[in-house]
Amino acid sequence: MYRKWIFIGCSGVLLLGFLIAGCTAFVAVLDGGSDSGGQAADGGGDEAAPQAVPVGQNLDVGEVSWVVNGAEETTSLQSQFGELGENREGSFVVVDFTFTNNGSEAVTLDTVSMALVDGQDRRFEADPDAFEFIEEGRNIFLEQVNPGVSREGTAIFTVSPDAGDFTLELGDAQMFSDRTGSVRLEF
């Protein structure tokens, strides 16, 4: 009689162990797994955040890669339409980059894949109203980028006049993903 209860108790403990292991594996998959090869970022978990790469260095995030070719602060923007357009005054950060799709399917680059973070941990998103100030052919947001294709782009961020010590966070261009890597902007 006792053997029956011992068997049931041990089976219950074993089943509980399998459930805990399965839940842990499921949560790891939801967090993006541990696929952090190269300079790819994981975007979650208890691991230390990867170091930010400098301007000009390749940054792999998931199945895409980024190279920030240059970045500058400016107080005025010139319209790409010349005299027909308007000029804008304010505090801006202009970032020129190369985006490469290393995956097997086309991806659509969205401004959500980029965020400028200042030394006070304030997050600035690319300014959708500033697209008229981006040189023709360099506004690649909301365009599909096919596998193996690289595209040159520009993003403009409107920032607070007291902002500084910037880091650019770049994502993997996948909806619902939190994988990011970062680039130090040194100006």
Side-chain angles (χ1 to χ4, degrees):
M1 180 161 152
Y2 289 115
R3 279 193 237 173
K4 177 182 167 185
W5 290 110
I6 291 173
F7 177 74
I8 291 173
C10 289
S11 297
V13 169
L14 188 61
L15 181 61
L16 182 62
F18 284 130
L19 285 173
I20 290 172
C23 288
T24 303
F26 181 71
V27 168
V29 168
L30 289 178
D31 280 342
S34 60
D35 178 25
S36 59
Q39 287 132 3
D42 192 323
D46 296 330
E47 300 174 9
Q51 295 293 321
V53 300
V55 170
Q57 185 171 329
N58 188 64
L59 175 68
D60 293 321
V61 184
E63 293 186 342
V64 302
S65 62
W66 300 84
V67 176
V68 174
N69 302 312
E72 66 177 353
E73 289 180 289
T74 186
T75 57
S76 65
L77 299 173
Q78 305 296 316
S79 174
Q80 69 171 332
F81 303 118
E83 293 179 15
L84 299 176
E86 64 179 60
N87 295 327
R88 188 179 294 171
E89 302 296 320
S91 295
F92 310 99
V93 173
V94 180
V95 177
D96 290 316
F97 61 92
T98 303
F99 175 82
T100 304
N101 179 0
N102 299 319
S104 59
E105 296 182 16
V107 296
T108 301
L109 183 61
D110 192 347
T111 57
V112 176
S113 297
M114 304 179 89
L116 191 63
V117 181
D118 73 356
Q120 299 176 44
D121 285 331
R122 296 181 291 186
R123 297 178 64 81
F124 304 94
E125 293 186 12
D127 188 349
D129 294 331
F131 291 139
E132 82 170 88
F133 304 101
I134 296 175
E135 183 180 321
E136 187 176 343
R138 294 191 63 86
N139 180 9
I140 65 170
F141 294 107
L142 301 179
E143 291 185 14
Q144 276 196 333
V145 180
N146 285 319
V149 175
S150 294
R151 295 287 311 271
E152 301 281 326
T154 300
I156 299 175
F157 299 86
T158 303
V159 298
S160 174
D162 67 340
D165 191 26
F166 293 108
T167 301
L168 185 64
E169 287 186 0
L170 301 168
D172 66 0
Q174 296 296 322
M175 190 177 291
F176 307 118
S177 174
D178 63 352
R179 285 186 176 184
T180 62
S182 55
V183 178
R184 285 184 312 275
L185 304 184
E186 298 173 353
F187 47 75

